[in-house]
Amino acid sequence: MAEFFSMGGYGAYVWPSYGLAAAIMIALLVSSLRGLKATEARFERLKAETRPVRTGSNNEESPDGDEA
């Protein structure tokens, strides 16, 4: 088992490389999830600001007397 981890003498280079790659991938995942959450919150905020106010039923007459 120790021979596997030493990787023929290159383990001191290989394992830190794997660790660094894993840390970068985790940081990218966290960054992406934070960005997604912020974008979804902004979208919901914009959607709430632009939502039209509806009153009455859908079968209302238009102002000129014709049916809508």
Side-chain angles (χ1 to χ4, degrees):
M1 189 64 120
E3 232 179 275
F4 172 75
F5 287 112
S6 71
M7 295 199 168
Y10 295 105
Y13 304 104
V14 173
W15 293 112
S17 297
Y18 280 157
L20 182 62
I24 290 171
M25 289 173 57
I26 290 169
L28 285 171
L29 175 65
V30 169
S31 175
S32 296
L33 291 175
R34 283 184 180 171
L36 175 63
K37 188 175 180 180
T39 302
E40 286 177 338
R42 182 174 180 220
F43 174 70
E44 290 299 323
R45 198 169 50 248
L46 290 171
K47 191 166 69 169
E49 290 175 4
T50 60
R51 184 173 291 144
V53 177
R54 292 188 178 201
T55 57
S57 67
N58 290 337
N59 295 328
E60 292 181 359
E61 291 183 13
S62 62
D64 62 352
D66 295 335
E67 289 187 16

